[in-house]
Amino acid sequence: MKITMAHGSGGRSTSQLIDEIFVRANSNPTLDMMEDSAVVSGGKRIAVTTDSFVVAPLFFKGGDIGRLSVCGTVNDLLMRGAIPKYITSAYIIEEGADTEILERIATSMAETAKEAGVNVIAGDTKVIEGNGGVYINTTGVGIVRDSVDIKSANCRVGDALILSGTLGDHHASILSERMDIKNNIKSDCAPLVDMVRNMMEAGVDIRAMRDVTRGGLGTVLNEFTKSSGCGFELYEDKIPMTAEVAAFAKILGLNIMHMGNEGKMIAVVAADDAEKAVDIIRSSRYGENAAVIGYVSDDKKVVMNTNLGGRRIITELYGEGLPRIC
Ligand code: MG
């Protein structure tokens, strides 16, 4: 069935669409009440984040907009040391969208929410004129324990930089779909709950974490230099990447340091805890390729020590990145 403007009327077609696709996929006692807002239990300190997802195409190798809309928001909560609990989902649907496609997206979203341990507790659907596009906004709420204080300003000279896995996968996957390039590159789109929870439970001294999304690792670390006043020394030979993504980046002239992921994070941890943290991430879901890739320095720059023995300054991404990657 195709979405028509009637599905956005607020009347019977709207409630049918909501009941048959979105509530069915995400059913839980809070959502099923269908009240004007969800009343849930929380903690003394909560983390809140929101993000909109406009990725094109809607489906790609390794994921889809539904999975992405949960991962992006859940990962942002985790990066502050919050345990994700609740998520909202607001759909903006263009007239002409196929209900079959909406069902696939909603189901994928529900599966990913389950994997991440979050309940979808509120939602909204709007239909607008257009050409079958689908956009999703999610807001996430997580609980932060009293003692937890994870932020980029906490980086200290000598701390270790740990990357949880290979760079560039999501970016290369979306670009391949867009340019109709045939390869086996899959998006890494994933919720990072397991690795963060395991590190926190083991008492790793985590100073800062950031998921490596739009703008890439180069942009994240340049942001960290501003908030912490520290610099970062990186070693090119330590940076995990798949041979396929490396070749793809080379052919298209892309800098892997500016390519986005959706299931990778950079963690800054106390040097004494570096080995323990890498072991924990490697034995956690989605972390098998984790590595120490450098350390925090005092010169307020992001510097790559290259395979050829040179030193190259890594800037943040400027100008145009890949549009609609997330
Ligand atoms: Mg983020």
Side-chain angles (χ1 to χ4, degrees):
M1 188 175 63
K2 296 281 184 211
I3 293 292
T4 64
M5 292 308 287
H7 286 107
S9 65
R12 185 189 289 175
S13 307
T14 306
S15 47
Q16 253 170 10
L17 174 69
I18 293 170
D19 286 348
E20 284 166 20
I21 294 182
F22 300 110
V23 175
R24 185 180 292 171
N26 290 294
S27 176
N28 63 57
T30 309
L31 193 64
D32 294 350
M33 286 172 74
M34 301 293 282
E35 293 290 341
D36 274 358
S37 64
V39 176
V40 290
S41 59
K44 258 202 290 185
R45 293 168 82 214
I46 59 169
V48 181
T49 186
T50 191
D51 206 345
S52 298
F53 297 85
V54 300
V55 68
L58 297 173
F59 299 88
F60 43 86
K61 276 201 207 85
D64 57 77
I65 192 171
R67 180 169 174 80
L68 190 62
S69 70
V70 175
C71 295
T73 290
V74 158
N75 289 344
D76 278 348
L77 293 173
L78 289 164
M79 297 304 107
R80 296 299 310 278
I83 298 301
K85 292 284 275 185
Y86 307 115
I87 197 164
T88 67
S89 85
Y91 280 71
I92 296 175
I93 304 164
E94 287 180 359
E95 189 180 16
D98 220 305
T99 48
E100 215 176 292
I101 280 179
L102 291 176
E103 222 171 313
R104 277 172 66 196
I105 294 170
T107 304
S108 170
M109 191 171 190
E111 283 166 6
T112 313
K114 193 170 175 208
E115 181 190 344
V118 291
N119 274 333
V120 179
I121 56 163
D124 180 47
T125 317
K126 290 284 183 316
V127 177
I128 58 170
E129 299 91 343
N131 207 7
V134 178
Y135 313 97
I136 304 176
N137 172 276
T138 55
T139 294
V141 177
I143 309 291
V144 191
R145 280 213 318 263
D146 270 347
S147 54
V148 172
D149 176 34
I150 295 171
K151 55 178 189 272
S152 54
N154 288 347
C155 295
R156 297 280 173 276
V157 176
D159 286 348
L161 274 177
I162 300 171
L163 183 60
S164 70
T166 54
L167 280 188
D169 311 70
H170 179 72
H171 194 127
S173 150
I174 298 295
L175 200 50
S176 301
E177 300 275 359
R178 215 68 89 67
M179 297 174 74
D180 206 17
I181 300 171
K182 301 276 176 271
N183 57 34
N184 295 314
I185 298 172
K186 266 171 65 182
S187 166
D188 55 342
C189 180
L192 303 176
V193 183
D194 194 41
M195 64 178 73
V196 172
R197 193 194 289 262
N198 290 345
M199 273 204 292
M200 294 207 304
E201 277 173 6
V204 172
D205 190 353
I206 308 167
R207 314 273 207 223
M209 292 188 281
R210 192 66 65 88
D211 54 343
V212 182
T213 55
R214 232 171 6 161
L217 184 57
T219 302
V220 168
L221 292 179
N222 274 281
E223 285 168 5
F224 278 17
T225 62
K226 288 178 200 136
S227 49
S228 69
C230 295
F232 299 91
E233 287 283 326
L234 309 175
Y235 296 88
E236 195 174 18
D237 62 337
K238 301 275 191 274
I239 294 183
M241 62 185 96
T242 67
E244 269 175 308
V245 170
F248 181 87
K250 198 169 177 192
I251 290 164
L252 291 179
L254 300 167
N255 185 347
I256 195 100
M257 293 298 288
H258 292 148
M259 290 173 71
N261 287 76
E262 286 292 343
K264 300 290 155 52
M265 65 169 193
I266 185 84
V268 182
V269 308
D272 287 347
D273 276 0
E275 215 174 304
K276 176 173 156 189
V278 169
D279 285 347
I280 290 170
I281 298 174
R282 279 200 186 145
S283 59
S284 303
R285 197 153 187 211
Y286 307 117
E288 64 274 15
N289 296 311
V292 175
I293 61 161
Y295 62 89
V296 180
S297 71
D298 61 2
D299 77 347
K300 237 192 150 181
K301 292 186 192 79
V302 181
V303 179
M304 179 72 81
N305 294 274
T306 69
N307 289 340
L308 297 171
R311 285 170 60 76
R312 185 157 42 91
I313 305 267
I314 306 289
T315 62
E316 61 205 323
L317 174 68
Y318 48 84
E320 239 170 79
L322 178 61
R324 299 188 60 182
I325 186 178
C326 54

